[in-house]
């Protein structure tokens, strides 16, 4: 009973803050005002607090621009976590637009929606990513293309790394910086999470969103570590597959070390 009361109170608080911030964010997006990037960070920090997600950051966001962040993807919570520590914009599949609640939040954060099944539109979408990075926005890409069980990094896809190439002509230095980031769910109720409990935090396969969300709310005490790695420079001579291999190796290494307690 107490647990559900806590959930109801925090949900009401988050809903109230959301109703206050949404009109402001809509106006900022429409008028292209600077707070449109900062407001989502404050909202996501509150959301993490509401869900009982404790975020620990190791390293820092690359200061140079243009910047593309590539991170492993275990759950929808990855978006809350990354957005709580940096002013970022995400690359999302087009069907997210129609999701209840999450679709609205994605649009309010000015996410870049991609049509994965329509190859004709790939060039346009990649150019949009490049243009957004060239304008100073930090674009986040989940190159695995799907969520994992949180225990490992899946093979990453190289196609959307073309976004880095499309931003190169707009960069004053002729460089785009690609930064690897590892998101590791490591603790629950103050204890190491381990492989057995990690599916509580991860969202792999066909697990329903609502049951998974309720499970997170019931737990209310999850710890996640975010490791920012060394960026890889991308210029007009760079081989896309070579960069993707470097990024994959660095994410895999950071994730493995963090999950094994060796970081």
């Amino acid at each position: 009973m107490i647990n559900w009361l806590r959930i109801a109170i925090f949900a009401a608080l988050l809903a109230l803050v959301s109703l206050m911030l949404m009109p402001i964010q809509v106006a900022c997006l429409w008028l292209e005002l600077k707070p449109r990037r900062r407001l989502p960070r404050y909202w996501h920090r509150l959301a993490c607090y509401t869900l009982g997600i404790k975020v620990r950051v190791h390293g820092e966001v690359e200061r140079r621009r243009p910047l593309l962040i590539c991170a492993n993807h275990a759950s929808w919570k990855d978006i809350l976590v990354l957005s709580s520590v940096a002013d970022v914009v995400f690359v999302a599949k087009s069907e997210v637009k129609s999701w209840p609640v999450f679709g609205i939040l994605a649009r309010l954060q000015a996410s870049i929606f991609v049509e994965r099944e329509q190859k004709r539109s790939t060039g346009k979408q990649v150019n949009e990513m490049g243009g957004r990075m060239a304008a100073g926005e930090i674009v986040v890409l989940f190159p695995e293309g799907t969520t994992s069980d949180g225990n490992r990094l899946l093979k990453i896809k190289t196609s959307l790394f073309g976004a880095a190439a499309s931003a190169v002509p707009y960069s004053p230095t002729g460089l785009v910086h690609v930064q690897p980031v590892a998101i590791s769910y490591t603790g629950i109720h103050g204890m190491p999470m381990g492989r057995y409990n990690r599916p509580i935090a991860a969202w792999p396969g066909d697990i329903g969103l609502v049951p998974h969300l309720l499970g997170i709310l019931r737990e209310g005490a999850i710890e996640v570590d975010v490791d920012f790695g060394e960026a890889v420079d991308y210029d007009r001579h760079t081989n896309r597959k070579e960069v993707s291999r470097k990024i994959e190796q660095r994410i895999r290494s950071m994730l493995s070390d963090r999950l094994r307690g060796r970081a």
Side-chain angles (χ1 to χ4, degrees), residues 2-235:
I2 294 177
N3 200 24
W4 283 108
L5 180 61
R6 177 188 66 80
I7 293 171
I9 292 173
F10 280 125
L13 174 63
L14 186 60
L16 179 61
V17 173
S18 300
L19 289 174
M20 293 171 59
L21 291 181
M22 283 175 65
I24 301 173
Q25 179 67 0
V26 169
C28 288
L29 287 171
W30 186 53
L31 297 173
E32 296 187 355
L33 301 177
K34 288 184 178 180
R36 74 186 188 279
R37 294 267 61 92
R38 293 196 297 270
L39 286 177
R41 176 155 46 100
Y42 300 138
W43 186 92
H44 284 96
R45 284 182 180 177
L46 177 61
C48 285
Y49 178 75
T50 300
L51 292 172
I53 301 173
K54 181 179 180 180
V55 183
R56 293 184 292 251
V57 179
H58 311 275
E60 62 180 9
V61 178
E62 172 64 53
R63 297 178 183 273
R64 296 171 296 173
R65 300 291 183 273
L67 177 62
L68 175 67
I69 284 180
C70 295
N72 62 302
H73 196 21
S75 170
W76 50 269
K77 294 182 294 301
D78 300 340
I79 295 171
L80 302 183
V81 169
L82 279 178
S83 293
S84 72
V85 300
D87 300 331
V88 296
V89 59
F90 292 89
V91 178
K93 53 187 179 182
S94 59
E95 50 263 41
V96 171
K97 281 184 180 180
S98 61
W99 288 7
V101 181
F102 287 91
I104 296 173
L105 294 175
R107 280 176 282 181
L108 285 173
Q109 201 167 356
S111 297
I112 301 169
F113 297 101
V114 297
E115 300 278 355
R116 292 180 179 173
E117 304 302 323
Q118 297 183 17
K119 294 185 178 180
R120 292 181 181 179
S121 62
T122 299
K124 179 181 178 181
Q125 293 158 1
V126 165
N127 287 335
E128 181 183 356
M129 294 179 219
R132 298 278 285 273
M133 281 189 286
E137 296 190 44
I138 304 173
V139 175
V140 176
L141 176 67
F142 296 117
E144 291 167 287
T146 185
T147 52
S148 70
D149 60 5
N151 289 309
R152 60 200 172 101
L153 176 71
L154 304 178
K155 185 174 179 59
I156 70 174
K157 304 179 186 301
T158 64
S159 57
L160 288 179
F161 277 88
S166 68
V168 168
Y170 303 99
S171 173
T173 62
L175 293 174
V176 172
H177 312 286
V178 185
Q179 185 173 28
V181 173
I183 304 171
S184 313
Y185 293 89
T186 54
I188 183 168
H189 297 293
M191 300 292 290
M193 186 172 285
R195 296 181 66 89
Y196 178 77
N197 288 321
R198 197 156 289 118
I200 295 174
W203 188 41
D206 299 323
I207 299 174
L209 177 59
V210 173
H212 183 69
L213 176 58
L214 291 176
I216 294 297
L217 288 169
R218 281 193 297 268
E219 293 297 337
I222 289 177
E223 298 167 19
V224 55
D225 290 271
V226 181
D227 287 274
F228 288 92
E230 181 183 357
V232 176
D233 292 340
Y234 196 116
D235 62 24

